[in-house]
Amino acid sequence: MKELIVGIIQGITEFLPVSSSGHLVLTQSILKISKPGIEFEIFLHFSTLLAVLIFFFKEIKNFARKENPKNHPLTLIIIGSIPAGVIGVLFKDKIELYFENTTYLPYFYLITTAMLFSTSLRKKAVRENITILDALIIGTAQAIAILPGVSRSGATISTALLLGILPEKAFSFSFLLSIPAIFGAMILDLKDANFSTLLSYAPAGTIAFLFGIASLYILKKTLKMNKLHYFGFYTLIVAILTFGLKL
């Protein structure tokens, strides 16, 4: 039952700009659910990765096209992945401490809230092409989102929109950029996994996958309507409620 609850939360919040890691920390704190084991985390990573690969299959196929190396999607994704990779390796142990309790969680949720609300103030997006500098800036936003409560999709999409990039392009690049991060996290966990128990998490992983696909459709539609900042009201409420947990 614990795995199913976490799978549902992961599926709903992984792609929406509300921070899945923050919700999992809250769930563990409020419902007294212990942190999932390595094997379960691997299965969730796999379910998340599969959802992104299927949803963005058409964009991924375009990776094979010939293009100026400086503007090729793979080049931009590699450049954009550098900040999170460096911070993840150098500060892994310190970052993990923030997942142990809710002390700093409301402050991190306020960061997400500020990012989301800022998109309502941006000028009309006019650019489709993403430059290497854009990729590096968006990748830095993704690195900040390693912290629980800071939404990865919220940070990367908001940053892309503020750079003047079209919502559809911001949406696709954000999640294509997530592929190396998700895959890397899964690989890092494999060394400590017991493979004989992995299949037991298939039901929870399937739920996370299905809810993840639905969340991607919801977020894409929200961006088309230029309503991303609406999620900021939700994260603000979560931040206020989380402050209450500390009292």
Side-chain angles (χ1 to χ4, degrees):
M1 187 62 182
K2 175 187 74 174
E3 287 80 9
L4 291 177
I5 293 174
V6 176
I8 292 171
I9 294 172
Q10 178 79 8
I12 294 174
T13 62
E14 175 67 26
F15 301 123
L16 296 179
V18 295
S19 179
S20 61
S21 59
H23 277 76
L24 290 177
V25 171
L26 280 175
T27 302
Q28 293 163 22
S29 175
I30 296 173
L31 300 181
K32 305 302 180 184
I33 295 177
S34 59
K35 184 177 180 180
I38 290 293
E39 292 79 13
F40 187 49
E41 290 187 9
I42 291 173
F43 218 102
L44 288 182
H45 287 317
F46 175 76
S47 301
T48 301
L49 182 61
L50 186 61
V52 173
L53 293 176
I54 291 176
F55 195 91
F56 293 96
F57 182 70
K58 183 184 294 185
E59 287 85 350
I60 293 171
K61 281 200 308 181
N62 290 335
F63 286 179
R65 74 179 187 270
K66 293 183 179 180
E67 192 174 327
N68 186 330
K70 289 178 63 177
N71 299 322
H72 198 284
L74 282 177
T75 302
L76 298 174
I77 290 171
I78 291 171
I79 294 295
S81 299
I82 291 174
V86 171
I87 290 179
V89 170
L90 294 181
F91 301 103
K92 182 177 183 294
D93 293 337
K94 291 184 178 180
I95 291 171
E96 286 180 349
L97 295 176
Y98 291 115
F99 287 81
E100 300 299 326
N101 56 66
T102 62
T103 301
Y104 297 99
L105 194 58
Y107 302 103
F108 296 149
Y109 262 113
L110 287 178
I111 293 175
T112 297
T113 301
M115 289 179 172
L116 293 172
F117 280 154
S118 70
T119 63
S120 65
L121 305 174
R122 79 188 194 282
K123 296 180 180 179
K124 187 176 180 180
V126 295
R127 291 197 294 128
E128 183 174 359
N129 293 331
I130 296 176
T131 67
I132 287 179
L133 180 59
D134 291 333
L136 190 59
I137 294 173
I138 296 170
T140 301
Q142 177 171 258
I144 296 172
I146 293 176
L147 297 168
V150 181
S151 165
R152 196 208 64 81
S153 63
T156 54
I157 294 175
S158 295
T159 300
L161 293 176
L162 291 172
L163 288 171
I165 297 167
L166 291 170
E168 297 85 352
K169 190 68 175 182
F171 174 72
S172 61
F173 184 72
S174 168
F175 287 103
L176 292 176
L177 186 60
S178 75
I179 293 174
I182 298 171
F183 185 74
M186 186 170 66
I187 293 300
L188 286 175
D189 287 340
L190 280 175
K191 64 180 185 301
D192 300 317
N194 179 0
F195 291 93
S196 63
T197 64
L198 281 177
L199 288 179
S200 64
Y201 299 121
T206 301
I207 288 177
F209 168 79
L210 294 174
F211 275 98
I213 291 290
S215 297
L216 284 168
Y217 276 109
I218 291 171
L219 181 55
K220 185 176 182 178
K221 187 172 182 179
T222 302
L223 279 167
K224 284 185 176 180
M225 296 187 297
N226 293 315
K227 302 297 184 183
L228 182 67
H229 60 282
Y230 279 19
F231 286 104
F233 293 105
Y234 174 80
T235 56
L236 178 60
I237 292 171
V238 174
I240 293 171
L241 293 176
T242 310
F243 271 118
L245 291 176
K246 298 169 57 181
L247 299 178

